[in-house]
Amino acid sequence: GALEAAVTALSIKESRVHGNLTSEPLANLNLPLKTISASIQHALSASYGFGGHNGMLLMKRYDGND
């Protein structure tokens, strides 16, 4: 969970969406197969644990004006 949160924060900072390794994506699913550049303002990081212990972080790009 912590590693995923760190990668999510870096994705926001670097404006990069990482590609997926799936060979057969579902039709009409917005799923990049290669790493792409995109302006990311918000991102979710989800962790699922045994016994139903789940957690999710919503992260927002820091713009310095808040």
Side-chain angles (χ1 to χ4, degrees):
L3 181 60
E4 179 180 323
V7 170
T8 302
L10 284 171
S11 292
I12 294 171
K13 180 182 177 199
E14 300 294 327
S15 296
R16 299 184 62 80
V17 178
H18 301 284
N20 290 274
L21 297 177
T22 185
S23 60
E24 298 179 24
L26 298 172
N28 298 321
L29 183 63
N30 187 11
L31 183 69
L33 299 178
K34 295 188 238 175
T35 300
I36 59 173
S37 295
S39 176
I40 303 171
Q41 299 304 315
H42 298 86
L44 290 171
S45 174
S47 288
Y48 304 98
F50 294 108
H53 295 95
N54 305 320
M56 186 170 285
L57 294 174
L58 171 62
M59 298 182 200
K60 176 183 173 188
R61 176 180 293 278
Y62 177 73
D63 62 10
N65 294 324
D66 291 340

